[in-house]
Short mmCIF file of all heavy atoms in Angstrom, two decimals:
data_model
loop_
_atom_site.label_atom_id
_atom_site.label_comp_id
_atom_site.label_asym_id
_atom_site.label_seq_id
_atom_site.Cartn_x
_atom_site.Cartn_y
_atom_site.Cartn_z
N MET A 1 129.76 41.42 65.24
CA MET A 1 129.06 40.57 66.20
C MET A 1 129.47 40.96 67.62
O MET A 1 130.63 41.14 67.92
CB MET A 1 129.46 39.12 65.95
CG MET A 1 128.28 38.17 65.96
SD MET A 1 128.81 36.52 65.49
CE MET A 1 128.17 35.61 66.87
N SER A 2 128.50 41.12 68.46
CA SER A 2 128.81 41.46 69.84
C SER A 2 128.20 40.46 70.80
O SER A 2 127.15 39.88 70.50
CB SER A 2 128.30 42.87 70.16
OG SER A 2 126.90 42.89 70.09
N ILE A 3 128.87 40.28 71.87
CA ILE A 3 128.34 39.38 72.90
C ILE A 3 127.65 40.23 73.96
O ILE A 3 128.27 41.07 74.57
CB ILE A 3 129.46 38.54 73.53
CG1 ILE A 3 130.13 37.70 72.46
CG2 ILE A 3 128.88 37.67 74.66
CD1 ILE A 3 131.40 37.04 72.94
N GLU A 4 126.39 39.99 74.14
CA GLU A 4 125.67 40.75 75.16
C GLU A 4 125.70 40.01 76.48
O GLU A 4 125.32 38.85 76.56
CB GLU A 4 124.21 40.94 74.73
CG GLU A 4 123.99 42.31 74.11
CD GLU A 4 122.51 42.61 73.96
OE1 GLU A 4 121.76 42.49 74.93
OE2 GLU A 4 122.12 42.99 72.84
N VAL A 5 126.16 40.71 77.49
CA VAL A 5 126.17 40.12 78.83
C VAL A 5 125.06 40.76 79.63
O VAL A 5 125.02 41.96 79.81
CB VAL A 5 127.52 40.36 79.52
CG1 VAL A 5 127.50 39.75 80.92
CG2 VAL A 5 128.65 39.78 78.70
N GLU A 6 124.15 39.94 80.05
CA GLU A 6 123.03 40.46 80.82
C GLU A 6 123.47 40.81 82.23
O GLU A 6 124.08 40.00 82.92
CB GLU A 6 121.91 39.42 80.86
CG GLU A 6 120.62 39.98 81.42
CD GLU A 6 119.51 38.94 81.44
OE1 GLU A 6 119.67 37.85 80.87
OE2 GLU A 6 118.47 39.24 82.03
N MET A 7 123.17 42.03 82.64
CA MET A 7 123.54 42.47 83.97
C MET A 7 122.29 42.53 84.85
O MET A 7 121.27 43.07 84.45
CB MET A 7 124.19 43.85 83.91
CG MET A 7 125.41 43.90 83.00
SD MET A 7 126.75 42.85 83.56
CE MET A 7 127.42 43.89 84.87
N VAL A 8 122.41 41.96 86.03
CA VAL A 8 121.27 41.98 86.94
C VAL A 8 121.70 42.57 88.28
O VAL A 8 122.83 42.38 88.72
CB VAL A 8 120.71 40.56 87.15
CG1 VAL A 8 120.10 40.03 85.87
CG2 VAL A 8 121.79 39.63 87.67
N LYS A 9 120.78 43.26 88.92
CA LYS A 9 121.08 43.77 90.25
C LYS A 9 120.95 42.65 91.26
O LYS A 9 120.07 41.82 91.17
CB LYS A 9 120.13 44.92 90.60
CG LYS A 9 120.49 45.60 91.90
CD LYS A 9 119.38 46.50 92.41
CE LYS A 9 119.64 46.87 93.86
NZ LYS A 9 119.57 45.69 94.77
N CYS A 10 121.85 42.69 92.22
CA CYS A 10 121.77 41.72 93.31
C CYS A 10 120.40 41.82 93.99
O CYS A 10 119.91 42.93 94.23
CB CYS A 10 122.88 42.00 94.30
SG CYS A 10 122.83 40.96 95.76
N ALA A 11 119.80 40.68 94.30
CA ALA A 11 118.45 40.67 94.88
C ALA A 11 118.44 41.08 96.34
O ALA A 11 117.37 41.28 96.92
CB ALA A 11 117.84 39.27 94.72
N CYS A 12 119.59 41.23 96.95
CA CYS A 12 119.64 41.74 98.32
C CYS A 12 119.18 43.20 98.32
O CYS A 12 119.68 44.02 97.55
CB CYS A 12 121.07 41.62 98.84
SG CYS A 12 121.33 42.40 100.44
N ALA A 13 118.22 43.51 99.17
CA ALA A 13 117.58 44.82 99.14
C ALA A 13 118.56 45.97 99.38
O ALA A 13 118.43 47.04 98.80
CB ALA A 13 116.45 44.87 100.16
N ASP A 14 119.51 45.75 100.26
CA ASP A 14 120.43 46.82 100.62
C ASP A 14 121.65 46.88 99.72
O ASP A 14 122.47 47.79 99.83
CB ASP A 14 120.91 46.63 102.06
CG ASP A 14 119.78 46.77 103.06
OD1 ASP A 14 118.86 47.55 102.78
OD2 ASP A 14 119.81 46.09 104.09
N CYS A 15 121.77 45.93 98.85
CA CYS A 15 122.97 45.81 98.04
C CYS A 15 122.82 46.59 96.74
O CYS A 15 121.77 46.56 96.11
CB CYS A 15 123.24 44.34 97.75
SG CYS A 15 124.79 44.03 96.92
N VAL A 16 123.87 47.28 96.39
CA VAL A 16 123.82 48.09 95.17
C VAL A 16 124.60 47.45 94.03
O VAL A 16 124.76 48.04 92.98
CB VAL A 16 124.39 49.50 95.45
CG1 VAL A 16 123.52 50.24 96.45
CG2 VAL A 16 125.83 49.43 95.92
N CYS A 17 125.06 46.26 94.25
CA CYS A 17 125.94 45.63 93.27
C CYS A 17 125.18 45.12 92.04
O CYS A 17 124.05 44.68 92.14
CB CYS A 17 126.68 44.47 93.91
SG CYS A 17 127.78 45.00 95.23
N ILE A 18 125.85 45.21 90.92
CA ILE A 18 125.34 44.66 89.67
C ILE A 18 126.26 43.53 89.26
O ILE A 18 127.47 43.68 89.27
CB ILE A 18 125.34 45.73 88.55
CG1 ILE A 18 124.63 47.00 89.02
CG2 ILE A 18 124.72 45.19 87.28
CD1 ILE A 18 123.13 46.89 89.10
N VAL A 19 125.67 42.40 88.94
CA VAL A 19 126.48 41.26 88.54
C VAL A 19 126.05 40.77 87.17
O VAL A 19 124.89 40.87 86.80
CB VAL A 19 126.38 40.11 89.55
CG1 VAL A 19 127.17 40.43 90.80
CG2 VAL A 19 124.95 39.80 89.90
N SER A 20 126.99 40.21 86.44
CA SER A 20 126.62 39.61 85.17
C SER A 20 125.89 38.30 85.45
O SER A 20 126.20 37.60 86.41
CB SER A 20 127.86 39.37 84.31
OG SER A 20 128.73 38.46 84.94
N ALA A 21 124.92 38.00 84.61
CA ALA A 21 124.06 36.86 84.84
C ALA A 21 124.86 35.57 84.97
O ALA A 21 124.50 34.69 85.73
CB ALA A 21 123.03 36.74 83.73
N GLY A 22 125.94 35.47 84.25
CA GLY A 22 126.75 34.27 84.30
C GLY A 22 127.47 34.06 85.61
O GLY A 22 127.83 32.95 85.98
N LYS A 23 127.73 35.17 86.32
CA LYS A 23 128.51 35.08 87.55
C LYS A 23 127.65 35.19 88.80
O LYS A 23 128.14 35.03 89.90
CB LYS A 23 129.56 36.20 87.58
CG LYS A 23 130.68 35.96 86.58
CD LYS A 23 131.77 37.01 86.75
CE LYS A 23 132.92 36.74 85.79
NZ LYS A 23 133.95 37.79 85.87
N ALA A 24 126.37 35.50 88.62
CA ALA A 24 125.50 35.66 89.77
C ALA A 24 125.32 34.33 90.49
O ALA A 24 125.36 33.27 89.89
CB ALA A 24 124.14 36.19 89.32
N ILE A 25 125.13 34.43 91.78
CA ILE A 25 124.86 33.24 92.59
C ILE A 25 123.36 33.09 92.74
O ILE A 25 122.69 33.98 93.24
CB ILE A 25 125.55 33.38 93.96
CG1 ILE A 25 127.05 33.30 93.77
CG2 ILE A 25 125.07 32.28 94.90
CD1 ILE A 25 127.84 33.96 94.85
N GLU A 26 122.85 31.97 92.26
CA GLU A 26 121.42 31.76 92.27
C GLU A 26 120.96 31.15 93.59
O GLU A 26 121.53 30.18 94.07
CB GLU A 26 121.03 30.81 91.13
CG GLU A 26 121.49 31.28 89.76
CD GLU A 26 120.46 32.17 89.10
OE1 GLU A 26 119.29 32.12 89.51
OE2 GLU A 26 120.83 32.88 88.16
N ALA A 27 119.94 31.76 94.18
CA ALA A 27 119.34 31.22 95.40
C ALA A 27 117.90 31.66 95.44
O ALA A 27 117.59 32.82 95.16
CB ALA A 27 120.09 31.72 96.63
N ASP A 28 117.00 30.74 95.78
CA ASP A 28 115.57 31.05 95.83
C ASP A 28 115.07 31.61 94.51
O ASP A 28 114.14 32.41 94.49
CB ASP A 28 115.26 32.04 96.95
CG ASP A 28 115.70 31.51 98.31
OD1 ASP A 28 115.63 30.27 98.50
OD2 ASP A 28 116.09 32.31 99.16
N GLY A 29 115.69 31.23 93.42
CA GLY A 29 115.26 31.70 92.11
C GLY A 29 115.64 33.13 91.80
O GLY A 29 115.18 33.70 90.82
N ARG A 30 116.50 33.70 92.63
CA ARG A 30 116.95 35.05 92.39
C ARG A 30 118.46 35.08 92.29
O ARG A 30 119.14 34.13 92.66
CB ARG A 30 116.48 35.98 93.52
CG ARG A 30 114.95 35.99 93.64
CD ARG A 30 114.45 37.11 94.51
NE ARG A 30 114.77 36.89 95.91
CZ ARG A 30 114.50 37.79 96.87
NH1 ARG A 30 113.93 38.93 96.56
NH2 ARG A 30 114.81 37.54 98.11
N SER A 31 118.97 36.19 91.80
CA SER A 31 120.40 36.28 91.58
C SER A 31 121.05 37.21 92.59
O SER A 31 120.58 38.32 92.82
CB SER A 31 120.67 36.80 90.16
OG SER A 31 120.09 35.92 89.22
N PHE A 32 122.14 36.75 93.18
CA PHE A 32 122.86 37.54 94.16
C PHE A 32 124.31 37.71 93.73
O PHE A 32 124.84 36.91 92.96
CB PHE A 32 122.82 36.86 95.53
CG PHE A 32 121.43 36.73 96.11
CD1 PHE A 32 120.64 35.64 95.79
CD2 PHE A 32 120.91 37.70 96.94
CE1 PHE A 32 119.36 35.52 96.31
CE2 PHE A 32 119.64 37.59 97.47
CZ PHE A 32 118.86 36.50 97.15
N CYS A 33 124.95 38.76 94.29
CA CYS A 33 126.32 39.05 93.89
C CYS A 33 127.32 38.20 94.65
O CYS A 33 128.46 38.04 94.21
CB CYS A 33 126.62 40.53 94.09
SG CYS A 33 126.76 41.02 95.83
N SER A 34 126.94 37.69 95.79
CA SER A 34 127.90 36.97 96.62
C SER A 34 127.19 35.96 97.51
O SER A 34 125.97 36.03 97.69
CB SER A 34 128.68 37.95 97.49
OG SER A 34 127.80 38.55 98.42
N ASP A 35 127.96 35.06 98.08
CA ASP A 35 127.38 34.09 99.01
C ASP A 35 126.75 34.78 100.20
O ASP A 35 125.72 34.35 100.72
CB ASP A 35 128.46 33.12 99.50
CG ASP A 35 128.83 32.09 98.44
OD1 ASP A 35 127.93 31.67 97.68
OD2 ASP A 35 130.00 31.71 98.38
N SER A 36 127.37 35.86 100.67
CA SER A 36 126.84 36.57 101.83
C SER A 36 125.43 37.07 101.55
O SER A 36 124.54 36.94 102.39
CB SER A 36 127.75 37.75 102.17
OG SER A 36 129.03 37.28 102.51
N CYS A 37 125.23 37.65 100.38
CA CYS A 37 123.90 38.13 100.03
C CYS A 37 122.93 36.96 99.81
O CYS A 37 121.78 37.03 100.20
CB CYS A 37 123.98 38.99 98.77
SG CYS A 37 124.72 40.62 99.05
N ALA A 38 123.42 35.90 99.20
CA ALA A 38 122.56 34.76 98.90
C ALA A 38 122.03 34.10 100.17
O ALA A 38 120.94 33.55 100.16
CB ALA A 38 123.34 33.73 98.07
N THR A 39 122.79 34.20 101.25
CA THR A 39 122.36 33.62 102.52
C THR A 39 121.74 34.67 103.42
O THR A 39 121.59 34.48 104.61
CB THR A 39 123.54 32.95 103.25
OG1 THR A 39 124.56 33.92 103.45
CG2 THR A 39 124.09 31.80 102.44
N HIS A 40 121.40 35.82 102.82
CA HIS A 40 120.77 36.92 103.54
C HIS A 40 121.62 37.37 104.73
O HIS A 40 121.10 37.70 105.79
CB HIS A 40 119.35 36.55 103.98
CG HIS A 40 118.49 36.10 102.83
ND1 HIS A 40 117.98 36.98 101.89
CD2 HIS A 40 118.10 34.86 102.45
CE1 HIS A 40 117.28 36.29 101.01
NE2 HIS A 40 117.34 35.02 101.30
N HIS A 41 122.91 37.29 104.57
CA HIS A 41 123.86 37.76 105.58
C HIS A 41 123.64 37.09 106.93
O HIS A 41 123.76 37.73 107.97
CB HIS A 41 123.77 39.29 105.69
CG HIS A 41 124.03 39.98 104.40
ND1 HIS A 41 125.28 40.12 103.84
CD2 HIS A 41 123.18 40.54 103.51
CE1 HIS A 41 125.19 40.75 102.69
NE2 HIS A 41 123.93 41.01 102.45
N SER A 42 123.30 35.83 106.90
CA SER A 42 123.08 35.09 108.14
C SER A 42 124.37 34.99 108.95
O SER A 42 124.35 34.80 110.17
CB SER A 42 122.54 33.70 107.85
OG SER A 42 123.42 32.99 106.99
N ASP A 43 125.50 35.15 108.28
CA ASP A 43 126.77 35.11 108.99
C ASP A 43 127.22 36.50 109.43
O ASP A 43 128.28 36.68 110.02
CB ASP A 43 127.85 34.47 108.11
CG ASP A 43 127.97 35.16 106.75
OD1 ASP A 43 127.28 36.17 106.53
OD2 ASP A 43 128.74 34.68 105.91
N GLY A 44 126.40 37.51 109.13
CA GLY A 44 126.71 38.86 109.57
C GLY A 44 127.75 39.56 108.72
O GLY A 44 128.16 40.67 109.04
N GLU A 45 128.16 38.94 107.63
CA GLU A 45 129.16 39.56 106.78
C GLU A 45 128.50 40.26 105.60
O GLU A 45 127.49 39.81 105.08
CB GLU A 45 130.14 38.49 106.27
CG GLU A 45 131.00 37.93 107.37
CD GLU A 45 132.13 37.08 106.79
OE1 GLU A 45 132.42 37.20 105.59
OE2 GLU A 45 132.71 36.31 107.56
N GLY A 46 129.10 41.37 105.20
CA GLY A 46 128.63 42.05 104.01
C GLY A 46 129.23 41.40 102.78
O GLY A 46 130.06 40.51 102.87
N CYS A 47 128.78 41.85 101.64
CA CYS A 47 129.42 41.36 100.42
C CYS A 47 130.80 41.99 100.33
O CYS A 47 131.09 43.01 100.97
CB CYS A 47 128.56 41.66 99.20
SG CYS A 47 128.62 43.37 98.64
N GLU A 48 131.65 41.41 99.55
CA GLU A 48 133.04 41.83 99.54
C GLU A 48 133.32 43.02 98.64
O GLU A 48 134.45 43.33 98.35
CB GLU A 48 133.95 40.65 99.15
CG GLU A 48 133.67 40.11 97.77
CD GLU A 48 132.71 38.92 97.79
OE1 GLU A 48 131.78 38.90 98.62
OE2 GLU A 48 132.92 38.02 96.99
N HIS A 49 132.26 43.69 98.19
CA HIS A 49 132.46 44.77 97.26
C HIS A 49 132.61 46.12 97.97
O HIS A 49 131.79 46.47 98.82
CB HIS A 49 131.28 44.83 96.28
CG HIS A 49 131.13 43.54 95.50
ND1 HIS A 49 130.12 42.63 95.76
CD2 HIS A 49 131.87 43.02 94.51
CE1 HIS A 49 130.26 41.60 94.95
NE2 HIS A 49 131.32 41.80 94.18
N ALA A 50 133.64 46.83 97.63
CA ALA A 50 133.91 48.13 98.24
C ALA A 50 132.78 49.11 97.94
O ALA A 50 132.26 49.16 96.83
CB ALA A 50 135.22 48.68 97.71
N GLY A 51 132.39 49.87 98.95
CA GLY A 51 131.37 50.88 98.76
C GLY A 51 129.96 50.38 98.95
O GLY A 51 129.01 51.15 98.92
N CYS A 52 129.80 49.08 99.16
CA CYS A 52 128.47 48.53 99.38
C CYS A 52 128.24 48.39 100.90
O CYS A 52 129.10 47.91 101.61
CB CYS A 52 128.34 47.18 98.70
SG CYS A 52 126.68 46.52 98.79
N VAL A 53 127.08 48.82 101.36
CA VAL A 53 126.85 48.88 102.80
C VAL A 53 125.98 47.73 103.31
O VAL A 53 125.57 47.73 104.46
CB VAL A 53 126.19 50.22 103.19
CG1 VAL A 53 127.13 51.38 102.87
CG2 VAL A 53 124.86 50.41 102.48
N CYS A 54 125.63 46.80 102.46
CA CYS A 54 124.73 45.75 102.92
C CYS A 54 125.40 44.81 103.90
O CYS A 54 126.53 44.39 103.71
CB CYS A 54 124.16 44.97 101.72
SG CYS A 54 125.32 43.88 100.89
N HIS A 55 124.73 44.54 105.00
CA HIS A 55 125.22 43.58 105.98
C HIS A 55 124.10 42.69 106.49
O HIS A 55 124.29 41.94 107.42
CB HIS A 55 125.84 44.31 107.18
CG HIS A 55 127.08 45.07 106.85
ND1 HIS A 55 128.28 44.48 106.60
CD2 HIS A 55 127.28 46.40 106.70
CE1 HIS A 55 129.18 45.41 106.32
NE2 HIS A 55 128.59 46.60 106.37
N GLY A 56 122.90 42.85 105.91
CA GLY A 56 121.78 42.02 106.34
C GLY A 56 121.13 42.53 107.60
O GLY A 56 121.57 43.42 108.27
ZN1 ZN B 101 126.97 44.45 97.52
ZN1 ZN B 102 124.78 41.66 96.94
ZN1 ZN B 103 123.68 42.00 100.55
#
């Protein structure tokens, strides 16, 4: 028996992060990897993942 974890790409266009469905942050019916992405980087911060260039 295996547990399948669904992986989804962050809905932020510039973000390359993949998050498991259980840990994704839901906003506007889409899944994001972090609060920064979920708020469309309104605070000017990128997601906290190394190697990702998204800043909104
Ligand atoms: Zn990212
Ligand atoms: Zn993201
Ligand atoms: Zn982002």
